[in-house]
């Protein structure tokens, strides 16, 4: 049985059950619970828990998707940083090379001082991370005025 058929059949069974329950009088449902030795309040609590979990799952779907996209981008940046030169001087040269190739890139960075020649190695790494996030280190030509 294919996955699609299984899901549609399961959905049909669940729809049938929910219709049957919806059409049954509340007193009959409570009586059925008591007859089976189940406390109706326990069943009510379990149903509320399931419904709350379903609502929470639906509400957090976008958050989960955004988190997955964030983790993917973070992994890409981590991969990009592994390809960076090992020495501070080579990283400084890489930054200078990006600025020479893409002069508008300097406007896109947030740096306390705009004299990029005097930056510490940590600041150079931070600038490279920002440039990688903007696509300047993977060969993309980003237009600083392009707000997609």
């Amino acid at each position: 049985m294919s996955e699609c058929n299984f899901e549609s059949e399961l959905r049909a069974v669940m729809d049938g059950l929910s219709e049957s329950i919806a059409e049954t009088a509340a007193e009959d449902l409570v009586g059925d619970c008591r007859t089976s030795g189940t406390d109706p309040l326990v069943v009510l609590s379990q149903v509320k828990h399931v419904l709350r979990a379903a609502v929470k799952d639906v509400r957090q779907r976008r958050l989960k998707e955004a988190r997955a996209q964030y983790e993917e981008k973070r992994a890409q940046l981590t991969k990009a940083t592994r390809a960076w030169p090992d020495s501070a001087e080579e990283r400084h040269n890489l930054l200078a090379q990006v600025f020479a190739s893409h002069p508008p890139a300097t406007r896109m960075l947030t740096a306390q001082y705009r004299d990029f020649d005097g930056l510490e190695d940590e600041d150079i790494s931070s600038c490279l991370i920002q440039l990688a996030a903007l696509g300047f280190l993977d060969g993309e030509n980003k237009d600083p005025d392009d707000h997609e």
Side-chain angles (χ1 to χ4, degrees):
M1 178 182 310
S2 74
E3 186 72 26
C4 184
N5 287 340
F6 176 77
E7 287 182 16
S8 63
E9 289 179 17
L10 179 61
R11 187 178 318 272
V13 168
M14 297 304 288
D15 288 344
L17 284 172
S18 64
E19 284 179 26
S20 173
I21 292 170
E23 294 171 358
T24 304
E27 301 83 28
D28 292 341
L29 293 173
V30 171
D32 288 347
C33 280
R34 289 194 175 123
T35 301
S36 69
T38 306
D39 183 356
L41 294 178
V42 170
V43 173
L44 176 65
S45 175
Q46 291 171 339
V47 169
K48 283 183 177 181
H49 175 75
V50 167
L51 292 175
R52 284 186 184 124
V55 168
K56 180 180 177 183
D57 187 50
V58 167
R59 287 183 177 168
Q60 290 188 342
R61 187 171 293 144
R62 278 191 185 153
L63 175 64
K64 289 176 183 177
E65 290 170 0
R67 184 166 302 192
Q69 290 174 356
Y70 166 79
E71 290 298 332
E72 182 180 326
K73 189 64 173 177
R74 184 172 167 237
Q76 289 172 352
L77 286 174
T78 300
K79 184 178 175 183
T81 59
R82 288 190 199 125
W84 291 352
D86 292 330
S87 76
E89 182 180 345
E90 289 174 320
R91 283 189 297 275
H92 186 275
N93 290 340
L94 174 61
L95 183 63
Q97 184 180 26
V98 171
F99 288 158
S101 300
H102 309 286
T106 58
R107 294 184 314 193
M108 301 175 84
L109 298 176
T110 55
Q112 186 174 3
Y113 302 102
R114 290 296 180 178
D115 179 17
F116 291 105
D117 291 333
L119 289 176
E120 299 291 326
D121 185 46
E122 183 177 316
D123 296 325
I124 290 172
S125 294
S126 176
C127 289
L128 288 171
I129 288 171
Q130 291 178 51
L131 289 168
L134 295 169
F136 283 99
L137 297 182
D138 58 8
E140 293 181 30
N141 286 331
K142 298 281 184 163
D143 182 353
D145 297 321
D146 185 18
H147 304 286
E148 293 180 21

